[in-house]
Amino acid sequence: MANIRDVASRAGVSVSSVSNVLNGRTDQMRQETLVRIENAMLELNYHPNRAAQQLKTGHAKMIGLLVPSIVNPSFAALAREVDLAAKNNHGYRVLLGNTYREEDEEQAFLTDLMSHGVRGVIVVSSSIEKSHFSEAAENGLVMVNYDGSSVTDAESNQILYDSVSMDNRQAGRIAAQYLIDQGCREIAFVTETTRTISRCHKIEGFLALAAEKGMKTHARVIEGKATKAYGDTEMVELGNQLAATIGELPLKPDGIVAINDVLAIGLIAGLRSKGIRVPEDISIVGIDNISLSGLITPALTSVAPPLADMATIMVERLISRLNSPHINAEEFLFTPTLVVRDSVIKRPG
Amino acid sequence: MANIRDVASRAGVSVSSVSNVLNGRTDQMRQETLVRIENAMLELNYHPNRAAQQLKTGHAKMIGLLVPSIVNPSFAALAREVDLAAKNNHGYRVLLGNTYREEDEEQAFLTDLMSHGVRGVIVVSSSIEKSHFSEAAENGLVMVNYDGSSVTDAESNQILYDSVSMDNRQAGRIAAQYLIDQGCREIAFVTETTRTISRCHKIEGFLALAAEKGMKTHARVIEGKATKAYGDTEMVELGNQLAATIGELPLKPDGIVAINDVLAIGLIAGLRSKGIRVPEDISIVGIDNISLSGLITPALTSVAPPLADMATIMVERLISRLNSPHINAEEFLFTPTLVVRDSVIKRPG
DNA sequence: CTGAAAGCGCTAACAA
DNA sequence: TTGTTAGCGCTTTCAG
């Protein structure tokens, strides 16, 4: 592999000129020199050694992506969008870490990122307020929290990390509104018990909208505990289990919002095995719009976050803050949209 | 961040002794020295700078994972297993690249890996015989091909890359056998048109088993072209489309093997919308056993590759060959198993 | 058994 | 406008 000296000597210039080209400092450079250097790079099939750049500058052209599990379709979709945004807009690559929502794994991944010279990481974790994150931040790791709470420093009253999420309250509202508009008169929000911030907001939005529509007493929350919190298998099992609960309810809902699509899929299967049809007996709206939702029967109507936009902003913020550490952390909220498919049916008023 | 010199001075030894510890050359070292060094590391919370190691040694503690798209559940599952094997067995991390089965993207990813000091990559690509792979190999990149053909060098008649796949012929046989055992008398293999090696083998296995059971004239291949070859959405659409074809067949099959689970899911949806019930009218077996398959209705019976074992071997081979470049490439075939769920029904003989 | 020192490829002062 | 050079943190050879 050719190095910067090979390029310099081939172009008949010094290494610093080549380095200047590599780092975009070409404004002061004679056009002809630039061309010679660029040609030399091409001819030698030169690619700068990232490890060396990294050793020198302290950071790699990589960002970390910390997810509970890449097997969860929502996070896989996120990973794809992050990879695209990082690569196409900035020439960065993605180092992946599955943490199974375990602190040890999160901790270990953050440490590994640091040793690999990665200084920016997108974090999907419901416990970003924990100390391993603040320690990493102190060591110079820049973080963006996806779909989590924003954490405020007790002393400075300053947001600690960028936070990017879909407007979860809005998501809850959109789902509730659609069910009501389609004629549902007894609605329920079905969720896993553990209350992350984003779950709380979804529930709030759902209940608030129902109240505004005068359906306060006809909107409830139904919940159950999953064995593990990161996987899809467990969510589907929970869906099955909650379907049983719902089947035995004296007053059955005619419309359900599920906390996420995977739970919705489990619910549909569970309800069906109880002889309850979706959407004829109960309409269902999911949240997340995973790609499989369009593929099942009935195709699932779902509230979709604008993932590509969110990924773009996350990568952008990460890289800006790497270059200008003084930039204050901010919170970004994205408006979700409803993707209408077949799991909700119009009911007579 | 503490560096090796800080550790050395804290422990009262030279940097080379610390380096010796880092690299496991402790056999000649006085126990007491070792302990002092280890303590110093702990006290300073020292983590070696990977970039520096890499610059020196030429390779990073990372492996690359090249997949068509992480959104495809089969590859997401693979990614998880690879991440686990790399991290837990060897302390390696995974650099992810989505290539959408495009040569440019594959090429770019391989180049980026090299510049990042990554010397080993797991490749999921149906075109590993193309020149961008052999060029990368010449530049010192070690590759393992997942679920692909093994490529033999024309001159040396030597396998070029390690290749790890499930025994695809076996997979086709298992699926066909199960359908026949359950009483199917007119079976079909449904697939996307493009013939990768692994697809060919599945079809071969399917047809061979049928022939052995005296059902040669009652086993056929039904195929259609997908718009794109990497996604799940397109596969599902293809499933829908092929369901229409099947619906109009004068002699309908009573058992179908789908080339993969996603296609199977599309088929089920498509058949259902044509009023054909699964499994009552047609039994279906998928291949790949993605986690979603257990979640749909009917839960899909599927032929499963032993992913975790395969990932373990792939990572192991990669790292062995990095350390001992003389090791010859080999081909590894893993036996699949049938995961029985609800999409196949027992028919009276 | 331990230490000194060269150098991996690059960046960015600083000098010219 | 371009060149010279120190040094980023580590590994490894060679001396002691």
Side-chain angles (χ1 to χ4, degrees), chain B residues 243 247 252 267-278 280-282:
Chain B
K252 283 191 194 44
L267 269 178
I268 292 176
L271 290 172
R272 186 177 285 154
S273 73
K274 295 267 169 301
I276 301 172
R277 294 163 304 163
V278 176
E280 292 81 356
D281 301 321
I282 302 185

PDB file of all heavy atoms in Angstrom, chain B residues 243 247 252 267-278 280-282:
ATOM      1  N   ALA B 243     -47.970 -15.798  -5.801  1.00  0.00           N
ATOM      2  CA  ALA B 243     -49.190 -16.404  -5.272  1.00  0.00           C
ATOM      3  C   ALA B 243     -50.285 -16.328  -6.327  1.00  0.00           C
ATOM      4  O   ALA B 243     -51.058 -17.281  -6.516  1.00  0.00           O
ATOM      5  CB  ALA B 243     -49.622 -15.685  -3.996  1.00  0.00           C
ATOM      6  N   GLY B 247     -52.204 -19.365  -7.985  1.00  0.00           N
ATOM      7  CA  GLY B 247     -53.658 -19.442  -7.915  1.00  0.00           C
ATOM      8  C   GLY B 247     -54.284 -19.845  -9.241  1.00  0.00           C
ATOM      9  O   GLY B 247     -55.368 -20.432  -9.275  1.00  0.00           O
ATOM     10  N   LYS B 252     -52.749 -27.360  -9.042  1.00  0.00           N
ATOM     11  CA  LYS B 252     -52.124 -26.622  -7.936  1.00  0.00           C
ATOM     12  C   LYS B 252     -51.283 -27.550  -7.064  1.00  0.00           C
ATOM     13  O   LYS B 252     -51.677 -28.684  -6.821  1.00  0.00           O
ATOM     14  CB  LYS B 252     -53.189 -25.977  -7.058  1.00  0.00           C
ATOM     15  CG  LYS B 252     -53.789 -24.742  -7.657  1.00  0.00           C
ATOM     16  CD  LYS B 252     -54.629 -24.005  -6.626  1.00  0.00           C
ATOM     17  CE  LYS B 252     -55.503 -22.967  -7.320  1.00  0.00           C
ATOM     18  NZ  LYS B 252     -56.173 -23.455  -8.553  1.00  0.00           N
ATOM     19  N   LEU B 267     -45.839 -15.114   0.081  1.00  0.00           N
ATOM     20  CA  LEU B 267     -46.681 -16.133  -0.535  1.00  0.00           C
ATOM     21  C   LEU B 267     -47.951 -16.362   0.275  1.00  0.00           C
ATOM     22  O   LEU B 267     -49.058 -16.399  -0.268  1.00  0.00           O
ATOM     23  CB  LEU B 267     -45.925 -17.464  -0.610  1.00  0.00           C
ATOM     24  CG  LEU B 267     -45.113 -17.777  -1.857  1.00  0.00           C
ATOM     25  CD1 LEU B 267     -44.407 -19.108  -1.688  1.00  0.00           C
ATOM     26  CD2 LEU B 267     -46.020 -17.799  -3.084  1.00  0.00           C
ATOM     27  N   ILE B 268     -47.756 -16.509   1.574  1.00  0.00           N
ATOM     28  CA  ILE B 268     -48.906 -16.781   2.438  1.00  0.00           C
ATOM     29  C   ILE B 268     -49.928 -15.663   2.321  1.00  0.00           C
ATOM     30  O   ILE B 268     -51.129 -15.892   2.136  1.00  0.00           O
ATOM     31  CB  ILE B 268     -48.453 -16.946   3.904  1.00  0.00           C
ATOM     32  CG1 ILE B 268     -47.638 -18.228   4.038  1.00  0.00           C
ATOM     33  CG2 ILE B 268     -49.661 -16.980   4.847  1.00  0.00           C
ATOM     34  CD1 ILE B 268     -47.049 -18.449   5.419  1.00  0.00           C
ATOM     35  N   ALA B 269     -49.438 -14.416   2.393  1.00  0.00           N
ATOM     36  CA  ALA B 269     -50.338 -13.276   2.281  1.00  0.00           C
ATOM     37  C   ALA B 269     -51.049 -13.278   0.932  1.00  0.00           C
ATOM     38  O   ALA B 269     -52.268 -13.102   0.835  1.00  0.00           O
ATOM     39  CB  ALA B 269     -49.564 -11.979   2.477  1.00  0.00           C
ATOM     40  N   GLY B 270     -50.267 -13.521  -0.133  1.00  0.00           N
ATOM     41  CA  GLY B 270     -50.836 -13.509  -1.474  1.00  0.00           C
ATOM     42  C   GLY B 270     -51.859 -14.618  -1.664  1.00  0.00           C
ATOM     43  O   GLY B 270     -52.949 -14.394  -2.213  1.00  0.00           O
ATOM     44  N   LEU B 271     -51.535 -15.806  -1.198  1.00  0.00           N
ATOM     45  CA  LEU B 271     -52.457 -16.939  -1.343  1.00  0.00           C
ATOM     46  C   LEU B 271     -53.751 -16.667  -0.588  1.00  0.00           C
ATOM     47  O   LEU B 271     -54.851 -16.911  -1.084  1.00  0.00           O
ATOM     48  CB  LEU B 271     -51.794 -18.219  -0.820  1.00  0.00           C
ATOM     49  CG  LEU B 271     -50.648 -18.764  -1.678  1.00  0.00           C
ATOM     50  CD1 LEU B 271     -49.933 -19.912  -0.976  1.00  0.00           C
ATOM     51  CD2 LEU B 271     -51.175 -19.225  -3.047  1.00  0.00           C
ATOM     52  N   ARG B 272     -53.585 -16.136   0.593  1.00  0.00           N
ATOM     53  CA  ARG B 272     -54.759 -15.866   1.421  1.00  0.00           C
ATOM     54  C   ARG B 272     -55.708 -14.897   0.708  1.00  0.00           C
ATOM     55  O   ARG B 272     -56.917 -15.074   0.715  1.00  0.00           O
ATOM     56  CB  ARG B 272     -54.309 -15.309   2.765  1.00  0.00           C
ATOM     57  CG  ARG B 272     -55.450 -15.145   3.737  1.00  0.00           C
ATOM     58  CD  ARG B 272     -54.955 -14.658   5.079  1.00  0.00           C
ATOM     59  NE  ARG B 272     -54.291 -15.694   5.844  1.00  0.00           N
ATOM     60  CZ  ARG B 272     -53.371 -15.470   6.773  1.00  0.00           C
ATOM     61  NH1 ARG B 272     -52.990 -14.223   7.022  1.00  0.00           N
ATOM     62  NH2 ARG B 272     -52.835 -16.459   7.449  1.00  0.00           N
ATOM     63  N   SER B 273     -55.113 -13.884   0.096  1.00  0.00           N
ATOM     64  CA  SER B 273     -55.974 -12.904  -0.579  1.00  0.00           C
ATOM     65  C   SER B 273     -56.646 -13.515  -1.808  1.00  0.00           C
ATOM     66  O   SER B 273     -57.611 -12.979  -2.329  1.00  0.00           O
ATOM     67  CB  SER B 273     -55.174 -11.660  -0.956  1.00  0.00           C
ATOM     68  OG  SER B 273     -54.330 -11.957  -2.041  1.00  0.00           O
ATOM     69  N   LYS B 274     -56.127 -14.640  -2.271  1.00  0.00           N
ATOM     70  CA  LYS B 274     -56.780 -15.355  -3.383  1.00  0.00           C
ATOM     71  C   LYS B 274     -57.745 -16.410  -2.838  1.00  0.00           C
ATOM     72  O   LYS B 274     -58.251 -17.234  -3.599  1.00  0.00           O
ATOM     73  CB  LYS B 274     -55.730 -16.069  -4.240  1.00  0.00           C
ATOM     74  CG  LYS B 274     -54.769 -15.166  -4.954  1.00  0.00           C
ATOM     75  CD  LYS B 274     -55.259 -14.851  -6.352  1.00  0.00           C
ATOM     76  CE  LYS B 274     -54.440 -13.738  -6.983  1.00  0.00           C
ATOM     77  NZ  LYS B 274     -54.460 -12.471  -6.205  1.00  0.00           N
ATOM     78  N   GLY B 275     -57.924 -16.434  -1.553  1.00  0.00           N
ATOM     79  CA  GLY B 275     -58.841 -17.402  -0.968  1.00  0.00           C
ATOM     80  C   GLY B 275     -58.223 -18.785  -0.788  1.00  0.00           C
ATOM     81  O   GLY B 275     -58.927 -19.770  -0.555  1.00  0.00           O
ATOM     82  N   ILE B 276     -56.908 -18.870  -0.950  1.00  0.00           N
ATOM     83  CA  ILE B 276     -56.247 -20.163  -0.739  1.00  0.00           C
ATOM     84  C   ILE B 276     -55.668 -20.187   0.670  1.00  0.00           C
ATOM     85  O   ILE B 276     -54.913 -19.278   1.046  1.00  0.00           O
ATOM     86  CB  ILE B 276     -55.117 -20.373  -1.769  1.00  0.00           C
ATOM     87  CG1 ILE B 276     -55.711 -20.317  -3.179  1.00  0.00           C
ATOM     88  CG2 ILE B 276     -54.388 -21.692  -1.514  1.00  0.00           C
ATOM     89  CD1 ILE B 276     -54.671 -20.325  -4.278  1.00  0.00           C
ATOM     90  N   ARG B 277     -56.018 -21.164   1.459  1.00  0.00           N
ATOM     91  CA  ARG B 277     -55.597 -21.188   2.855  1.00  0.00           C
ATOM     92  C   ARG B 277     -54.293 -21.954   3.050  1.00  0.00           C
ATOM     93  O   ARG B 277     -54.063 -22.979   2.422  1.00  0.00           O
ATOM     94  CB  ARG B 277     -56.693 -21.814   3.728  1.00  0.00           C
ATOM     95  CG  ARG B 277     -57.990 -20.996   3.802  1.00  0.00           C
ATOM     96  CD  ARG B 277     -59.114 -21.874   4.312  1.00  0.00           C
ATOM     97  NE  ARG B 277     -59.266 -23.071   3.471  1.00  0.00           N
ATOM     98  CZ  ARG B 277     -59.925 -24.156   3.834  1.00  0.00           C
ATOM     99  NH1 ARG B 277     -60.492 -24.218   5.029  1.00  0.00           N
ATOM    100  NH2 ARG B 277     -60.014 -25.189   3.019  1.00  0.00           N
ATOM    101  N   VAL B 278     -53.471 -21.408   3.948  1.00  0.00           N
ATOM    102  CA  VAL B 278     -52.243 -22.087   4.372  1.00  0.00           C
ATOM    103  C   VAL B 278     -52.409 -22.412   5.852  1.00  0.00           C
ATOM    104  O   VAL B 278     -52.731 -21.526   6.642  1.00  0.00           O
ATOM    105  CB  VAL B 278     -51.019 -21.181   4.161  1.00  0.00           C
ATOM    106  CG1 VAL B 278     -49.761 -21.851   4.692  1.00  0.00           C
ATOM    107  CG2 VAL B 278     -50.863 -20.791   2.702  1.00  0.00           C
ATOM    108  N   GLU B 280     -54.197 -25.310   5.171  1.00  0.00           N
ATOM    109  CA  GLU B 280     -55.282 -26.220   4.805  1.00  0.00           C
ATOM    110  C   GLU B 280     -55.264 -26.599   3.325  1.00  0.00           C
ATOM    111  O   GLU B 280     -55.428 -27.779   2.973  1.00  0.00           O
ATOM    112  CB  GLU B 280     -56.646 -25.616   5.159  1.00  0.00           C
ATOM    113  CG  GLU B 280     -56.906 -25.494   6.660  1.00  0.00           C
ATOM    114  CD  GLU B 280     -56.245 -24.267   7.278  1.00  0.00           C
ATOM    115  OE1 GLU B 280     -55.526 -23.553   6.543  1.00  0.00           O
ATOM    116  OE2 GLU B 280     -56.445 -24.014   8.484  1.00  0.00           O
ATOM    117  N   ASP B 281     -55.065 -25.593   2.445  1.00  0.00           N
ATOM    118  CA  ASP B 281     -55.049 -25.899   1.013  1.00  0.00           C
ATOM    119  C   ASP B 281     -53.629 -26.181   0.508  1.00  0.00           C
ATOM    120  O   ASP B 281     -53.409 -27.086  -0.284  1.00  0.00           O
ATOM    121  CB  ASP B 281     -55.646 -24.729   0.233  1.00  0.00           C
ATOM    122  CG  ASP B 281     -57.086 -24.448   0.670  1.00  0.00           C
ATOM    123  OD1 ASP B 281     -57.830 -25.418   0.917  1.00  0.00           O
ATOM    124  OD2 ASP B 281     -57.454 -23.268   0.805  1.00  0.00           O
ATOM    125  N   ILE B 282     -52.719 -25.370   0.957  1.00  0.00           N
ATOM    126  CA  ILE B 282     -51.319 -25.568   0.563  1.00  0.00           C
ATOM    127  C   ILE B 282     -50.423 -25.469   1.797  1.00  0.00           C
ATOM    128  O   ILE B 282     -50.541 -24.522   2.564  1.00  0.00           O
ATOM    129  CB  ILE B 282     -50.859 -24.497  -0.467  1.00  0.00           C
ATOM    130  CG1 ILE B 282     -51.751 -24.535  -1.720  1.00  0.00           C
ATOM    131  CG2 ILE B 282     -49.394 -24.707  -0.837  1.00  0.00           C
ATOM    132  CD1 ILE B 282     -51.280 -23.587  -2.823  1.00  0.00           C
TER     133      ILE B 282
END
